[in-house]
Amino acid sequence: MNAFPGSIAFDEYGRPFIIIRDEDKQKRLTGIDALKSHILAAQQIAATLRTSLGPKGLDKMLVSPDGDVTVTNDGATILKNMDVDHEIGKLLVQLSQSQDDEIGDGTTGVVVLAGALLEQASALLDRGIHPIRIADGFELACQKAVEHLEFIADLFPVSSENLEPLIQVAMTTLGSKIVNKCHRQMATIAVQAVLAVANLETRDVNFELIKVEGKVGGRLEDTVLVKGVVIDKTMSHSQMPKELHNVKLAILTCPFEPPKPKTKHKLDVTSVEDYKALRQYEQEKFTEMVNCVKKAGATLAICQWGFDDEANHLLLQQQLPAVRWVGGPEIELIAIATGGRIVPRFEELSPEKLGSAGIVRELTFGTTKDRMLVIEDCLKSRAVTILVRGGNAMLVAEAKRSLHDALCVVRSLVQEPRVVYGGGASEIACSLKVAAHADQLASLEQYAFRAFAEALECIPLALAENSGLSAIHALSEVKAKQASTGNSNLGIDCMQTGNINMKERSVIESLKSKRQQLILATQLVKMILKIDDVRSPGESRHM
């Protein structure tokens, strides 16, 4: 039986190749037709995200094959949950994910910008310009735009004494999110969380120490920042104390149960005496384990594994509160926060391996009596937890995504304290600069420069459209004022306040985020413009 989908033939040099079955009926796009197909696919995805840009952007409802519903306007989340078949579409999904991993914000803008660049590239291809010349021109234009971004960027004060400037930046990020009705509170929480774990001298932020937990119930306004660790567990016994002070924690990865033989032998209990002896042995082992923990000086046992009712009752009798079934990541975070060591065997437990915490208490929510455990006033670490509340799971999930964006933007400012101004102000300024530079070029790249400048205007145009303004009129007005005054802080008045000066309105964005958007979008477009054929691995003609 032939293993190939077609027949084998030989060319005039005796080299074998496969004749694909129904090859005459199959169609493959190559050259400019392939490029146009790629650009069209990318434009469709960019158009989908375009309406989600800005403070008045619309949300998307995404339904998974399992029926789970997600409502969001976060670009990375939308693309991740979209069922994208086209190869170029998948590249745009990866582009958005790269922006999310690197910066955490600007995931929608980077895709919209890439779509606009490809739209301009399509017009240049129609004029007969070679795709390589377009790609190289875009790269040079991107360098010029990034240089101008660096020039117009302002230094930004990052201080633990004055939080207001950072809060304004976080509020700009959250302005387009579902949490904007309480976005000052959310912005303050995000800033406090980042500064709690940041080292301002080395400009380093340990994101591992910030944990975002969600709990359905209550209002968004009930969201709080806990200076410690919150775990979705309770005390193992209902009669154990609900609040402990000056706690010494034993962090265990060994179960409270008798040791089992590591062989395939089985134990037959044939008499009452044997059963009593076995039960007595188990009781002694339980007591021995509890005594090991008590002897080390622990006042609370955090156990990764479960234990049965008998062990639970014995822990209550011995007045040793315990928490069971605590997951691995949570165990590690508790160990970091309290300065304790994770102990794999009871015999290795000693006083110096215990963690310390000021307060361990149970939180109770609403009428459902849902409970969570809070470990606060940890001496060894600055770990914090943001506890997000909301009316349903969908709202809590979107609030967590929004807070993640705000946390990432504040982290970017701690790492590089320079900002540009929002409302499309920085894009318009870069567009004017790139267009002016195009007039000085005598080479073919001047067309790519002008196309790049026009593509940059897609961001303020989309902001104006989504805000219900006359997009062309609003953009031309701001461009004219920027060109005449040289003030690069003028942008689109999305909230229709009558003031287009984004610096005065504190609409602030991270320079790092804007720069990354330009670079990533240009790199992707350059890659797409160099693809003129798509072959699957099995389609190679020569063997």
Side-chain angles (χ1 to χ4, degrees):
M1 183 178 174
N2 191 358
F4 296 105
S7 306
I8 297 178
F10 297 88
D11 63 12
E12 62 271 25
Y13 299 105
R15 294 178 301 188
F17 63 88
I18 302 168
I19 299 173
I20 305 296
R21 190 173 294 152
D22 299 329
E23 190 172 14
D24 57 328
K25 298 176 187 174
Q26 293 180 356
K27 186 180 178 183
R28 167 181 285 150
L29 294 174
T30 57
I32 297 298
D33 289 337
L35 278 172
K36 287 292 186 68
S37 168
H38 300 161
I39 289 169
L40 185 62
Q43 280 181 274
Q44 287 174 340
I45 288 181
T48 304
L49 289 191
R50 187 184 171 98
T51 54
S52 293
L53 194 67
K56 297 290 184 74
L58 303 175
D59 290 353
K60 300 285 181 284
M61 178 181 281
L62 303 154
V63 185
S64 73
D66 299 332
D68 295 333
V69 176
T70 303
V71 177
T72 182
N73 70 348
D74 180 62
T77 307
I78 293 169
L79 289 180
K80 195 188 301 179
N81 291 324
M82 277 173 66
D83 190 9
V84 180
D85 287 332
H86 199 283
E87 291 75 13
I88 302 303
K90 290 175 182 175
L91 285 178
L92 281 177
V93 174
Q94 291 172 11
L95 169 71
S96 182
Q97 196 60 49
S98 299
Q99 178 76 12
D100 196 36
D101 294 342
E102 187 73 21
I103 304 294
D105 187 39
T107 52
T108 307
V110 72
V111 175
V112 173
L113 181 59
L117 285 170
L118 287 167
E119 186 178 346
Q120 293 297 323
S122 179
L124 294 178
L125 288 170
D126 290 339
R127 297 176 72 172
I129 301 176
H130 194 278
I132 298 297
R133 299 299 294 271
I134 299 171
D136 291 344
F138 278 176
E139 190 167 32
L140 292 171
C142 177
Q143 290 173 9
K144 182 58 68 176
V146 169
E147 280 175 23
H148 191 60
L149 265 183
E150 302 274 356
F151 176 72
I152 64 174
D154 285 349
L155 279 172
F156 188 78
V158 176
S159 165
S160 54
E161 280 76 37
N162 183 14
L163 303 184
E164 188 58 31
L166 285 169
I167 291 171
Q168 293 293 341
V169 180
M171 284 173 68
T172 303
T173 306
L174 294 171
S176 62
K177 307 296 182 185
I178 203 168
V179 299
N180 62 356
K181 67 170 185 172
C182 54
H183 69 316
R184 183 173 184 89
Q185 177 193 348
M186 293 291 187
T188 306
I189 286 173
V191 170
Q192 289 174 344
V194 171
L195 290 182
V197 302
N199 186 334
L200 295 181
E201 291 180 5
T202 60
R203 302 210 170 279
D204 181 46
V205 179
N206 188 351
F207 242 36
E208 297 294 320
L209 296 178
I210 301 176
K211 190 180 176 195
V212 183
E213 277 283 344
K215 194 74 174 175
V216 175
R219 304 173 302 157
L220 278 171
E221 289 87 342
D222 296 331
T223 300
V224 292
L225 176 69
V226 177
K227 298 272 180 82
V229 181
V230 178
I231 54 174
D232 197 2
K233 301 292 173 188
T234 60
M235 295 293 181
S236 62
H237 198 290
S238 58
Q239 294 178 16
M240 287 177 179
K242 307 301 180 197
E243 188 167 322
L244 300 168
H245 294 269
N246 300 322
V247 187
K248 294 289 184 184
L249 292 90
I251 304 166
L252 307 168
T253 55
C254 43
F256 272 101
E257 59 182 35
K260 293 182 174 63
K262 292 182 173 59
T263 63
K264 292 184 179 179
H265 298 297
K266 62 179 182 177
L267 181 66
D268 287 330
V269 178
T270 56
S271 65
V272 176
E273 286 74 20
D274 289 347
Y275 177 76
K276 286 181 178 178
L278 180 61
R279 194 175 180 285
Q280 182 64 30
Y281 170 76
E282 287 186 356
Q283 189 84 11
E284 287 170 3
K285 280 294 176 186
F286 278 141
T287 308
E288 190 181 314
M289 291 170 187
V290 175
N291 286 339
C292 278
V293 178
K294 297 276 282 184
K295 188 178 175 183
T299 55
L300 174 66
I302 304 281
C303 189
Q304 187 176 10
W305 304 103
F307 35 84
D308 59 20
D309 291 342
E310 189 174 356
N312 205 9
H313 182 68
L314 187 62
L315 287 165
L316 179 66
Q317 277 187 331
Q318 298 287 334
Q319 296 181 346
L320 179 62
V323 184
R324 57 184 167 185
W325 297 121
V326 181
E330 293 169 325
I331 282 270
E332 290 176 12
L333 194 59
I334 292 169
I336 293 169
T338 61
R341 295 277 297 276
I342 298 172
V343 180
R345 283 187 289 273
F346 287 100
E347 295 78 14
E348 296 180 15
L349 198 58
S350 59
E352 60 272 11
K353 292 182 179 179
L354 300 178
S356 301
I359 303 173
V360 176
R361 60 191 174 91
E362 274 189 8
L363 286 177
T364 308
F365 303 107
T367 55
T368 57
K369 298 298 179 187
D370 279 343
R371 295 191 296 270
M372 297 181 88
L373 203 66
V374 181
I375 302 171
E376 293 179 292
D377 297 341
C378 303
L379 303 177
K380 301 288 184 179
S381 172
R382 300 167 295 178
V384 294
T385 304
I386 300 171
L387 182 58
V388 181
R389 307 301 310 283
N392 58 28
M394 192 169 58
L395 193 63
V396 170
E398 179 63 2
K400 286 169 74 172
R401 282 191 290 270
S402 304
L403 273 168
H404 175 263
D405 285 1
L407 290 167
C408 289
V409 168
V410 177
R411 176 188 63 177
S412 296
L413 283 173
V414 171
Q415 292 172 342
E416 185 179 351
R418 297 178 70 196
V419 294
V420 292
Y421 296 95
S426 56
E427 284 87 356
I428 293 170
C430 289
S431 173
L432 290 169
K433 184 69 176 179
V434 172
H437 188 74
D439 296 335
Q440 302 170 17
L441 294 174
S443 63
L444 201 61
E445 273 74 22
Q446 62 178 293
Y447 293 100
F449 266 70
R450 290 195 184 95
F452 193 93
E454 199 166 330
L456 283 172
E457 293 174 5
C458 74
I459 299 291
L461 271 173
L463 290 173
E465 284 171 12
N466 294 344
S467 303
L469 301 171
S470 172
I472 299 295
H473 181 265
L475 175 63
S476 55
E477 183 186 343
V478 175
K479 273 184 74 176
K481 286 187 178 177
Q482 275 211 23
S484 60
T485 63
N487 184 355
S488 61
N489 303 332
L490 306 180
I492 303 295
D493 181 19
C494 296
M495 307 307 289
Q496 300 175 34
T497 60
N499 185 0
I500 62 170
N501 191 320
M502 298 297 126
K503 187 172 184 178
E504 291 175 5
R505 286 180 47 201
S506 298
V507 181
I508 310 167
E509 297 186 40
S510 161
L511 168 67
K512 190 176 179 183
S513 174
K514 281 291 175 197
R515 184 175 58 215
Q516 191 76 5
Q517 283 184 49
L518 283 174
I519 293 170
L520 284 179
T522 307
Q523 285 177 345
L524 182 80
V525 169
K526 187 177 178 182
M527 183 193 301
I528 291 173
L529 287 173
K530 291 186 176 182
I531 302 171
D532 71 343
D533 192 3
V534 179
R535 290 174 181 263
S536 62
E539 282 188 290
S540 177
R541 288 180 62 82
H542 289 287
M543 293 179 65

